Amino acid sequence: MKSLRVMVCGTALLLSGCSTLSNVPWSAANPWNWFGSSLEVTEQGVGDLSGTTPLEESAITDALGSDYRVRSGMKTDNGNIVRYFEALKDDQLALVVNGDTTVRRVEVLDKDVPTESGVSIGTPFTDLYDKAYGNCQSASDTQSKSVSCKAPGSEHIHYLFSGPWSGPEGLMPPDDVLKRWSVERIIWQR
């Protein structure tokens, strides 16, 4: 009889969604998440984040696993207010997730999340390109002093390079300057 009472109380607690249990990252219970992150940027997305992932905090949290804490925010984009999510790892910004109803873009800032070809944050420009022509373009005004380059052989992955340069904003630096730059962000976009 005593074990029946304990079982009924335990079941009621689990079913009630006790506030202390609602903040538990249940993805941490999965054995494949016990030994650290294995996120990787591929043509399909970042880890389990893809173009079919709903732009919802719970779906993004489940896709990223227990290494990341997800928070939402709002910003303006071309005069419209849009929702986005940030994934923090050890209280450092690691990923920025954007979209409409599903994930459309993921910006990777975590040096521990490489592409499937091994490119990660900090990879030098010269490891990937001999020249910018045909591969790169000046990044948008919000990211001045940056250059966006399409990943070799990819339709969905871009690298955002940055580094020192004292030339005019909006103008792409020459190749001899870009040779001193490195990957600042890896961007996957559907």
Side-chain angles (χ1 to χ4, degrees), residues 11 17 30 48 122:
T11 303
N30 294 331
D48 289 336

Side-chain angles (χ1 to χ4, degrees), residues 25-30 32-37 61-69 88-89:
W26 290 106
S27 60
N30 294 331
W32 49 87
N33 290 332
W34 291 352
F35 303 106
S37 173
T61 299
D62 289 343
L64 293 177
S66 63
D67 287 345
Y68 298 91
R69 181 173 56 88
L88 298 131
K89 182 178 178 184

Side-chain angles (χ1 to χ4, degrees), residues 12-108:
L13 179 64
L14 287 174
L15 293 176
S16 69
C18 177
S19 65
T20 59
L21 291 178
S22 65
N23 291 325
V24 171
W26 290 106
S27 60
N30 294 331
W32 49 87
N33 290 332
W34 291 352
F35 303 106
S37 173
S38 61
L39 288 184
E40 185 176 71
V41 182
T42 66
E43 282 296 298
Q44 292 73 39
V46 179
D48 289 336
L49 282 177
S50 69
T52 60
T53 305
L55 192 67
E56 299 170 357
E57 188 170 346
S58 61
I60 293 168
T61 299
D62 289 343
L64 293 177
S66 63
D67 287 345
Y68 298 91
R69 181 173 56 88
V70 177
R71 65 183 182 192
S72 69
M74 304 286 267
K75 65 181 178 178
T76 58
D77 184 24
N78 294 328
N80 298 319
I81 296 176
V82 294
R83 188 171 172 202
Y84 69 97
F85 292 90
E86 294 179 336
L88 298 131
K89 182 178 178 184
D90 300 325
D91 291 328
Q92 297 293 317
L93 182 60
L95 298 117
V96 179
V97 182
N98 294 287
D100 40 38
T101 56
T102 59
V103 173
R104 296 187 66 83
R105 177 182 170 106
V106 180
E107 296 181 32
V108 177

Side-chain angles (χ1 to χ4, degrees), residues 121-163:
I121 304 303
T123 299
F125 180 87
T126 54
D127 284 6
L128 301 168
Y129 307 99
D130 294 326
K131 59 184 178 174
Y133 182 77
N135 298 308
C136 307
Q137 62 187 17
S138 185
S140 66
D141 293 340
T142 59
Q143 297 171 355
S144 61
K145 308 282 185 184
S146 298
V147 171
S148 176
C149 303
K150 187 175 181 180
S154 175
E155 292 184 33
H156 301 285
I157 301 170
H158 286 79
Y159 305 123
L160 189 68
F161 289 91
S162 66

Side-chain angles (χ1 to χ4, degrees), residues 40 114-120 123:
E40 185 176 71
T115 65
E116 59 189 336
S117 62
V119 176
S120 60
T123 299

